[in-house]
Amino acid sequence: MKLPLRTMLCAALPLLLLQGDGPKLNFVDIAARSGLVAATTFGGKQKKDYILEVTGTGATIFDFDGDGANDIFMPNGTTMGSASAATPSFLYRNDGKGHFTDVAKQAGLTRSGWAQAGCAADFDNDGDTDLFVTYYGQNSLYRNDGKGHFTDVAETAGLTTPKPQWGAGCAFVDYDRDGYVDIFISSYVELDMKDAPSPANGKACDWKGLRVMCGPVGLPMGHNSLYRNNGNGTFTNVTERAGILKPGGRYGLGVVAADFNNDGWPDIYVACDQTPSLLYSNLHDGTFEEIGSRSGAAFNADGRLQAGMGVAVADFEGTGFLGIAKTNFSGDRPSLYRNENGNLFEDISEPAGLWRHQLLGWGIVFTDVNDDGLPDLAIANGHVYPEVTGSAVGETYKQKTLLYLNRGQGKFEDATAVAGPGFAPMRPSRGMAAGDLDGDGRPEIIVVNMNEPPALLKNLGPRGNWIAFALEGKKSNRSAIGARVTVEADGRRQMQEVSSGGSYFSQNSTTLYFGLGKATKVDRLEIKWPSGETQTWTAVPGQRTVRIAEGSQNVQ
């Protein structure tokens, strides 16, 4: 089929601009040489009969042993049937130079089952980062003893439920600003495997002529949960009291907590599959109002439902408000919501240039790959049906990992084809997270693949000026979840917020990375802490990671 000349020119324009636009991008996959060689297990590899087998897992980047180097937690699944595989999750310890060893067994992370998401924060403010893991069944809260070992305290902490639930995405969030992080959990489906539809039991579904597993439409919707941290190692289920159940059930997946309306209180966004996505606006009194539909953040630009998967937030236009990017099912473009004023969002995904690929998206992260001060967008993709490969449908199970460069004013350019060999392979991807994993300050991107080893994409392109901030709360929660950093440099103002959760069942490093363009220093630095205190500095030198404790004036 011949394409119109205008269409071909529009498709080629990003490549032409990038090829003549300064230094080339050069991402390479260093997973194997970094020790990330084990494949995840999540259902059947060639065929998936149940909806539980297709959702996969993410990655959590955090420093579990306090040595200053980021480690990686990767939840693991299992297989169906009586001979289901005993497959504990992975905890990769970083040697400080970017080489990883799985120490999950030694660290006490020996549980097998259908693990989904991991989110990390210091829930008891003892100086050691703890880990929450969602499962189909019962979730786990792993308390870090500070000596490299975790203990599951979910039951004694009050986080178990009378009946099994499908825990999907999660985020730590200090929603009441009492200095202790609380836990929000999305739920996908109220699933009873005894009655779950499957081609194996004659309850198959048809998708473009293929006989495949069913879901989620027609299955009971999940109900999200919020647990308040009591400050004594226990939590109270405040889901109903806080208004989380008022919107009714949803097929909830990716979760992120952030202050969208700049009132100093964290809100919560949930990407939902085949149901309106949710935006819980914090009312400052321990309750939330769900405003997704009226704000414009629940549907696409045409007012239609989407199959939302993952979510990322960033001030991608430099307006001082956090916008939202969301991944969706195949045949639909990713969503990009411009935050107009904290209560009104506009889906600008088509004019922004995100229409070029309509793959089945999962993990998604904003990260500045060329240090120009504009957060770029990486997206992990992969189909839910292995059966599509080789079929007449015209789609593939393994799909491209995408990279869009932020060109400012809400415009993004597809840089995938010129991003280097790391973006070349097709992958059956799910989770994605970004963070510095080799100690050079510059973030890497980890991509979690279904029933395959992960990819670890390192940016070997020429480096610009930069600065990064690792924060520690004192009056605020120890992990500084919810702290907001604004830097002014080279005539540009940038803002980021420390957050938990995000992407798809993943969590980025909580160290905030800023590209500085031509500037070698930050003219003005401002930190707004969750406690309500604000600190400012001037003339802060760049090219380094700065560690700042709340209340201290030391930025060296």
Side-chain angles (χ1 to χ4, degrees), residues 39-123:
T40 58
T41 299
F42 216 89
K45 189 172 184 179
Q46 304 300 328
K47 191 173 187 296
K48 296 183 183 292
D49 287 333
Y50 295 92
I51 189 173
L52 183 57
E53 297 181 83
V54 307
T55 49
T57 64
T60 303
I61 298 176
F62 75 117
D63 179 9
F64 86 90
D65 54 3
D67 65 353
N70 276 322
D71 310 297
I72 304 170
F73 173 75
M74 287 178 52
N76 207 2
T78 183
T79 54
M80 288 293 179
S82 57
S84 58
T87 52
S89 298
F90 303 100
L91 180 63
Y92 287 106
R93 184 183 183 278
N94 192 338
D95 68 356
K97 299 178 182 178
H99 190 272
F100 296 88
T101 303
D102 182 17
V103 296
K105 183 177 180 180
Q106 301 93 301
L109 303 182
T110 58
R111 180 180 172 184
S112 294
W114 296 99
Q116 294 268 259
C119 49
D122 184 357
F123 83 87

Side-chain angles (χ1 to χ4, degrees), residues 199-471:
N201 60 27
K203 300 177 183 177
C205 288
D206 180 88
W207 185 78
K208 295 187 177 182
L210 293 178
R211 186 175 174 83
V212 296
M213 66 86 194
C214 296
V217 176
L219 297 175
M221 297 179 191
H223 293 83
N224 303 323
S225 303
L226 178 64
Y227 289 86
R228 182 183 182 275
N229 190 334
N230 299 320
N232 61 1
T234 68
F235 291 77
T236 298
N237 188 339
V238 296
T239 304
E240 188 167 5
R241 183 195 317 168
I244 302 303
L245 295 180
K246 283 185 179 179
R250 291 290 196 277
Y251 300 126
L253 289 171
V255 176
V256 69
D259 180 7
F260 291 109
N261 57 7
N262 293 356
D263 64 356
W265 294 78
D267 312 299
I268 301 169
Y269 186 86
V270 185
C272 298
D273 187 1
Q274 296 292 336
T275 49
S277 291
L278 296 162
L279 177 55
Y280 293 103
S281 181
N282 194 325
L283 299 181
H284 312 175
D285 60 358
T287 69
F288 292 83
E289 179 185 12
E290 202 287 303
I291 63 169
S293 294
R294 79 164 187 250
S295 72
F299 304 95
N300 72 1
D302 300 321
R304 295 180 182 177
L305 276 176
Q306 295 178 290
M309 308 296 184
V311 58
V313 298
D315 181 14
F316 61 85
E317 292 183 287
T319 62
F321 286 93
L322 293 169
I324 301 171
K326 176 170 66 72
T327 51
N328 300 301
F329 199 80
S330 67
D332 193 1
R333 60 181 177 262
S335 302
L336 184 66
Y337 295 103
R338 168 184 285 150
N339 187 344
E340 300 285 358
N341 59 12
N343 296 301
L344 182 64
F345 292 79
E346 179 187 4
D347 181 2
I348 62 168
S349 53
E350 184 169 359
L354 301 186
W355 55 268
R356 300 181 186 279
H357 300 281
Q358 297 189 5
L359 305 176
L360 207 163
W362 301 90
I364 182 167
V365 299
F366 280 105
T367 181
D368 187 352
V369 301
N370 54 6
D371 296 327
D372 64 353
L374 296 168
D376 309 300
L377 198 55
I379 304 176
N381 302 282
H383 217 287
V384 294
Y385 309 123
E387 298 90 339
V388 300
T389 299
S391 72
V393 170
E395 299 191 44
T396 58
Y397 182 58
K398 296 183 179 183
Q399 297 184 347
K400 292 180 180 179
T401 305
L402 302 176
L403 181 63
Y404 287 95
L405 286 185
N406 187 340
R407 291 307 191 190
Q409 299 182 327
K411 302 296 183 182
F412 287 77
E413 292 181 4
D414 178 17
T416 308
V418 294
F423 278 86
M426 306 276 272
R427 302 181 174 104
S429 300
R430 293 297 186 266
M432 172 182 274
D436 174 23
L437 294 170
D438 58 5
D440 67 354
R442 194 177 207 180
E444 282 72 51
I445 302 172
I446 186 168
V447 184
V448 181
N449 300 312
M450 288 278 279
N451 301 100
E452 290 188 6
L456 182 58
L457 307 183
K458 180 167 181 58
N459 190 352
L460 297 180
R463 189 165 191 181
N465 297 315
W466 62 280
I467 195 168
F469 299 96
L471 306 184

